[in-house]
Every structure is written in C-alpha cells, then in structure tokens.
C-alpha cells in the first residue's frame, strides 16, 4: 500500500476494474438463475470449473514469479507432491470457500443483485470479528461504530426486501438471506484462516493458492457428486451452459485473484469506494434488467452501508508509533481478507 510506488492512473484503473467485476458478477449470475432462457445449469459444476480456472491462472502467475520452467517444476514438486500436510492444511479453507461459493448461487436465486450486494457487505464485520478472535488484533472505536452502522443498514435493506417485477420464478427471500449469512461467515473465517497459513511461512502466495485450489477441485467435485450426481450423469456436466454462464464462471475466477492485486496497490478507502460504487451499479442494473422497485428502507439501508464501509476503511489515528512488523502484518491482512 504505502510502499508501492504506482501512479494515480493505475490505482484508478484497478478501482474501476474491481468495481465492474464485482457488480457485473452479481448481476449476470442473477440473470442466469432467474430470467435467462433455456435449461437451468447446475451451480455445483460452475463452482467446480471456477476452481479449475483459478488453479490454471495461479500456475501462470507462479510461472511468471519463478521465471523458468525448471524452477516452476521444482516449486510444484516441493510444495505439492512432497507437502501432504500443507495440502491438508489448505483443504480447510477450500471446503469453506466451496460452501461460500455455492451459497452465492443460492442467494442470488432468491434475492435481487442489489439486495445481495448490500447484504454481502456483512463480510466486513464477520472478518473483523474473526480477526479479533483468531489473530488477537483490535479495532478502533470508529471501526466498531462502522460495524454496527453496517449491520443496521443491512437490517433496513432486509426489513422489507425490494421486489423485482420482471423475475418470473418463485423466490424465497428468507432462504436467500440465510444463504448470504452462511456465505459471509465462510468468507470471514476462511480469509483469516488463510492469512494465518500465509504468515506461518515465507511460501509464495501463488503456491498457497495452488495448494488451496487443488483441494478445492476435489471438494467441489465431491459436492457435484453428492448434490447433482445423478442429474449430471443423466444430462451431462455442462448441461444448461450458455455464453452468459461461461461469463459468470470467468468473472468468478478472475474476481478473487484480481482483488488481491488491486488491494496490494490501493488502500482501504479506495476499496470502500469500490464497494459503494458496485452497490450503486448493481442497483441501477437491477432496476433496468429485473424491474427492481426501490423503496425508502432499501435506499436508507444502502446509504448507511456505503457510509460505514468508508468509515471502516479510514486509517487509525493512533498508528504513527506502530512497529514495522505490525505495519507489514496489517498490510498482509488487507491483501488477504478482501
């Protein structure tokens, strides 16, 4: 963050791409689950394919980092084939993230993209709580205030969920909220757990990602077998896939990896603006595509959430005397807990 010497133009580029990816992902996923024509695809297979693409992208980044095929091969052999304990350790966040990703599909099948985008910001207080409990860190009074403000804003949004007139399928808003609640719990725990694993050694981030995505592929394949096994055998793994579904998979694969790069070169304030902008874009798209009826409670709640995100990202006032080690630790936390 502070030590990265990059131009304002590059930061704005990162901010724009991250915002567009976040907003577009929720809107397009919602479209494929509710009003897209054709047979409905299996969400479990989409999650599995996402893990495969993330693994390929991480291998590409590790190849760039190592600089030669020989060093890439040695790194994979050392950290994958000869490190079963590390693979087992990374299987924990793999399972949790698999649940989270499947919950996103369930939530967006029952809630509008804008409502989802606002409510999903509960990942911020969840991550904050996990950080306090698992890493023994502390939050400032302003951060605690912003956490409660965010929860209040989400409560307003969910108090009387906005309706989408162009969605023809039957929806269960309560089920959608439960799915988001599970997703944010998974996001908070898995993010902090992954940070602890990263801090336990000097192993490359991309190596850790490869270890996690390998476990993730196994976990999601098991999920496909348990949830949709018979249907997949009958209709095929790619049943119901359209270009829009492939676009969803692409955005899901790109989003997580790109966010880490974005946060490395920006700061929490810019990340807060990005989240707020994604909420606005999702709302506009939902009004146009799904006929979302904006209510006063939704507007009030979304506004509170946007303000709380900004306040949470403000730098602490008592940090000038922080040690270099604490600063590095905080920087790594920002990289991982997005």
């Amino acid at each position: 963050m502070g030590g990265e010497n990059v131009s304002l133009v590059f930061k704005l580029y990162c901010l724009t791409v991250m915002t567009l990816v976040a907003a577009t992902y929720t809107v397009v996923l919602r479209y494929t689950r509710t009003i897209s024509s054709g047979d409905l695809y299996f969400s479990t297979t989409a999650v599995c394919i996402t893990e495969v693409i993330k693994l390929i992208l991480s291998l590409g980044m590790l190849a760039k980092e190592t600089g030669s095929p020989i060093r890439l091969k040695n790194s994979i052999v050392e950290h994958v084939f000869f490190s079963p304990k590390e693979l087992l350790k990374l299987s924990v966040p793999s399972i949790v993230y698999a649940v989270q990703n499947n919950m996103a599909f369930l939530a967006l099948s029952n809630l509008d993209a804008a409502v989802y985008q606002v409510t999903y910001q509960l990942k911020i207080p969840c991550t904050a709580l996990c950080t306090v409990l698992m890493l023994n860190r502390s939050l400032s009074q302003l951060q605690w205030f912003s956490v409660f403000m965010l929860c209040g804003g989400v409560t307003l949004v969910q108090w009387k969920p906005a309706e989408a007139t162009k969605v023809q399928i039957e929806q269960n808003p309560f089920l959608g909220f439960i799915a988001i609640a599970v997703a944010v719990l998974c996001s908070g725990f898995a993010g902090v757990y992954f940070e602890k694993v990263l801090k336990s050694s000097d192993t490359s981030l991309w190596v850790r990602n490869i270890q996690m995505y390998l476990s993730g592929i196994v976990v999601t394949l098991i999920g496909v077998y348990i949830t949709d096994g018979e249907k997949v055998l009958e209709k095929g793994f790619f049943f119901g896939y359209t270009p829009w579904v492939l676009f969803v998979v692409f955005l899901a694969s790109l989003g997580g990896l790109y966010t880490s790069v974005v946060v490395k070169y920006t700061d929490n304030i810019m990340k807060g603006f990005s989240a707020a902008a994604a909420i606005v874009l999702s709302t506009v798209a939902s009004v146009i595509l799904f006929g979302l009826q904006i209510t006063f409670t939704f507007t009030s709640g979304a506004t509170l959430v946007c303000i709380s995100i900004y306040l949470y990202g403000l730098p602490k006032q008592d940090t000038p005397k922080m040690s270099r080690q604490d600063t590095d630790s905080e920087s790594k936390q920002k990289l991982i807990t997005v």
Side-chain angles (χ1 to χ4, degrees), residues 198-214:
L198 277 179
K199 291 180 62 179
S200 66
S201 68
D202 294 328
T203 305
S204 165
L205 170 63
W206 301 114
V207 168
R208 290 303 193 187
N209 278 339
I210 290 170
Q211 292 171 336
M212 184 168 63
Y213 296 145
L214 281 172

Side-chain angles (χ1 to χ4, degrees), residues 125-139:
C126 183
T127 300
L129 182 61
C130 289
T131 299
V132 171
L133 296 177
M134 297 172 63
L135 300 180
N136 296 320
R137 293 206 179 104
S138 61
L139 300 180

Side-chain angles (χ1 to χ4, degrees), residues 139-294:
L139 300 180
S140 67
Q141 291 182 350
L142 181 61
Q143 286 178 314
W144 281 118
F145 173 76
S146 65
V147 164
F148 286 111
M149 179 187 291
L150 190 149
C151 293
V154 171
T155 301
L156 282 176
V157 169
Q158 290 291 337
W159 190 263
K160 188 179 180 181
E163 296 182 357
T165 59
K166 296 182 181 180
V167 175
Q168 303 299 324
I169 68 169
E170 183 178 353
Q171 299 178 97
N172 187 337
F174 178 74
L175 178 61
F177 177 76
I178 294 299
I180 293 183
V182 174
V184 298
L185 288 172
C186 291
S187 176
F189 171 78
V192 176
Y193 180 94
F194 190 50
E195 180 190 353
K196 289 190 68 173
V197 173
L198 277 179
K199 291 180 62 179
S200 66
S201 68
D202 294 328
T203 305
S204 165
L205 170 63
W206 301 114
V207 168
R208 290 303 193 187
N209 278 339
I210 290 170
Q211 292 171 336
M212 184 168 63
Y213 296 145
L214 281 172
S215 302
I217 292 172
V218 175
V219 170
T220 52
L221 280 175
I222 294 174
V224 171
Y225 175 76
I226 294 175
T227 306
D228 300 308
E230 293 183 1
K231 295 178 181 179
V232 169
L233 289 176
E234 177 185 353
K235 300 180 178 181
F237 195 87
F238 296 99
F239 173 78
Y241 274 63
T242 66
W244 286 113
V245 178
L246 296 176
F247 189 43
V248 168
V249 172
F250 170 75
L251 290 174
S253 304
L254 184 64
L257 296 176
Y258 191 83
T259 299
S260 296
V261 177
V262 168
V263 178
K264 180 177 181 180
Y265 293 108
T266 61
D267 52 36
N268 267 351
I269 295 178
M270 295 188 74
K271 193 179 81 173
F273 277 121
S274 175
I279 290 173
V280 173
L281 290 177
S282 298
T283 301
V284 173
S286 294
V287 171
I288 297 173
L289 295 175
F290 310 116
L292 179 68
Q293 298 177 331
I294 302 297

